[in-house]
Coordinates of all heavy atoms in Angstrom, one line a residue:
H233 N 0.1 2.6 -5.7 CA -1.1 2.1 -6.6 C -2.1 3.2 -6.6 O -3.3 2.9 -6.3 CB -1.5 0.8 -5.8 CG -2.1 -0.1 -6.9 ND1 -3.3 -0.6 -6.8 CD2 -1.5 -0.6 -7.9 CE1 -3.5 -1.4 -7.8 NE2 -2.4 -1.5 -8.5
L267 N -9.1 -5.7 4.5 CA -9.6 -5.5 3.2 C -8.5 -4.8 2.3 O -8.7 -4.9 1.1 CB -10.9 -4.7 3.2 CG -12.2 -5.3 3.7 CD1 -13.4 -4.5 3.4 CD2 -12.4 -6.7 3.2
H268 N -7.6 -4.4 2.9 CA -6.4 -3.7 2.1 C -5.1 -4.5 2.4 O -5.1 -5.6 2.1 CB -6.5 -2.2 2.7 CG -5.6 -1.3 2.0 ND1 -5.1 -1.5 0.7 CD2 -5.2 0.0 2.3 CE1 -4.5 -0.4 0.3 NE2 -4.4 0.6 1.3
K299 N -23.4 -16.1 0.8 CA -23.5 -14.8 1.3 C -23.9 -14.8 2.8 O -23.9 -13.8 3.4 CB -24.9 -14.2 0.6 CG -24.6 -13.7 -1.0 CD -23.4 -12.8 -1.1 CE -23.0 -12.7 -2.5 NZ -21.5 -11.9 -2.5
R304 N -14.3 -14.4 3.0 CA -14.1 -14.0 1.7 C -12.6 -14.7 1.2 O -11.9 -15.1 1.9 CB -13.7 -12.6 1.6 CG -15.0 -11.7 1.8 CD -14.9 -10.3 1.2 NE -16.2 -9.9 0.8 CZ -16.4 -8.8 0.1 NH1 -15.3 -8.0 -0.3 NH2 -17.6 -8.4 -0.4
L305 N -12.6 -14.9 -0.1 CA -11.4 -15.4 -0.7 C -10.4 -14.4 -0.7 O -10.2 -13.5 -1.5 CB -11.6 -16.0 -2.2 CG -10.6 -16.9 -2.6 CD1 -10.5 -18.1 -1.8 CD2 -10.8 -17.3 -4.0
G307 N -7.0 -12.1 -1.0 CA -6.1 -12.1 -2.1 C -6.9 -12.1 -3.6 O -6.1 -12.1 -4.4
F308 N -8.2 -12.1 -3.4 CA -9.0 -12.2 -4.6 C -9.8 -10.9 -4.7 O -10.2 -10.5 -3.7 CB -9.8 -13.4 -4.6 CG -9.3 -14.4 -5.7 CD1 -8.2 -15.1 -5.4 CD2 -9.9 -14.5 -7.1 CE1 -7.7 -16.1 -6.2 CE2 -9.4 -15.5 -7.9 CZ -8.3 -16.4 -7.6
H310 N -10.6 -6.8 -6.5 CA -10.0 -5.6 -6.5 C -11.0 -4.5 -6.9 O -11.8 -4.6 -7.7 CB -8.9 -5.5 -7.4 CG -7.8 -4.5 -7.1 ND1 -8.0 -3.2 -7.6 CD2 -6.8 -4.4 -6.3 CE1 -7.0 -2.4 -7.1 NE2 -6.3 -3.1 -6.3
R311 N -10.9 -3.4 -6.3 CA -11.8 -2.3 -6.7 C -11.5 -1.7 -8.0 O -12.5 -1.3 -8.8 CB -11.6 -1.0 -5.7 CG -12.4 0.2 -6.0 CD -13.9 0.1 -6.1 NE -14.4 -0.4 -4.9 CZ -14.6 0.4 -3.9 NH1 -14.3 1.6 -3.8 NH2 -15.2 -0.1 -2.7
R319 N 0.6 -7.3 -10.8 CA 1.5 -7.5 -9.8 C 1.4 -9.0 -9.4 O 2.5 -9.7 -9.1 CB 1.3 -6.6 -8.6 CG 1.5 -5.2 -9.0 CD 0.8 -4.3 -7.8 NE -0.7 -4.5 -7.7 CZ -1.3 -4.0 -6.7 NH1 -0.7 -3.1 -5.9 NH2 -2.6 -4.2 -6.5
Y356 N -19.3 -17.5 -10.4 CA -19.4 -16.4 -9.3 C -18.2 -15.5 -9.5 O -18.5 -14.3 -9.6 CB -19.4 -17.1 -7.8 CG -19.3 -16.1 -6.8 CD1 -20.5 -15.6 -6.2 CD2 -18.1 -15.5 -6.4 CE1 -20.5 -14.8 -5.1 CE2 -18.0 -14.6 -5.3 CZ -19.2 -14.2 -4.8 OH -19.2 -13.3 -3.8
R392 N 5.2 0.4 0.4 CA 4.4 1.5 0.0 C 4.8 2.8 0.5 O 4.3 3.9 0.0 CB 2.9 1.1 0.6 CG 1.8 2.1 0.2 CD 1.6 2.3 -1.3 NE 1.4 1.1 -2.2 CZ 0.3 0.7 -2.3 NH1 -0.8 1.1 -2.0 NH2 0.3 -0.5 -3.2
Ligands
LIG1 C1 -5.2 -4.2 -1.8 O1 -7.2 -0.3 -3.9 C2 -6.0 -0.8 -4.1 O2 -5.3 -0.4 -5.0 C3 -5.5 -1.7 -3.1 C4 -4.2 -2.5 -3.4 C5 -3.0 -1.5 -3.3 O3 -2.0 -1.9 -3.9 O4 -3.1 -0.5 -2.7 O5 -4.4 -3.1 -4.5 C6 -4.0 -3.5 -2.3 O6 -5.8 -3.9 -0.8 C7 -5.7 -5.4 -2.6 C8 -7.1 -6.0 -2.1 C9 -6.7 -6.8 -0.8 N1 -8.0 -7.3 -0.1 C10 -8.4 -8.5 -0.3 O7 -7.9 -9.5 -1.0 C11 -9.7 -8.9 0.4 C12 -10.6 -9.6 -0.3 N2 -11.1 -8.9 -1.5 C13 -12.4 -8.2 -1.1 O8 -12.7 -7.9 0.0 C14 -12.7 -7.1 -2.2 O9 -12.5 -7.6 -3.5 C15 -12.1 -5.7 -2.2 C16 -12.1 -5.1 -1.0 C17 -10.6 -5.9 -2.6 C18 -12.6 -4.8 -3.3 O10 -14.0 -4.6 -2.8 P1 -15.1 -3.9 -3.6 O11 -14.4 -3.2 -4.8 O12 -15.7 -3.0 -2.7 O13 -16.0 -4.9 -4.2 P2 -17.3 -5.6 -3.4 O14 -16.9 -5.8 -2.0 O15 -18.5 -4.6 -3.7 O16 -17.6 -6.9 -4.2 C19 -18.3 -7.0 -5.4 C20 -18.9 -8.3 -5.4 C21 -19.7 -8.7 -4.1 O17 -20.7 -9.6 -4.4 P3 -22.1 -9.1 -4.8 O18 -22.7 -8.3 -3.6 O19 -22.0 -8.4 -6.1 O20 -23.0 -10.5 -4.8 O21 -17.8 -9.2 -5.4 C22 -17.9 -10.0 -4.2 C23 -18.6 -9.3 -3.2 O22 -19.2 -10.1 -2.2 N3 -16.5 -10.2 -3.8 C24 -15.9 -11.4 -3.2 C25 -14.6 -11.1 -3.0 N4 -14.2 -9.8 -3.5 C26 -15.4 -9.2 -3.9 N5 -16.5 -12.5 -2.8 C27 -15.6 -13.4 -2.2 N6 -14.3 -13.2 -2.1 C28 -13.7 -12.0 -2.4 N7 -12.4 -11.9 -2.2

Side-chain angles (χ1 to χ4, degrees):
H233 213 235
L267 292 187
H268 191 14
K299 290 303 168 196
R304 286 206 151 186
L305 194 63
F308 255 74
H310 199 276
R311 171 61 58 77
R319 301 167 296 176
Y356 173 92
R392 184 53 53 91

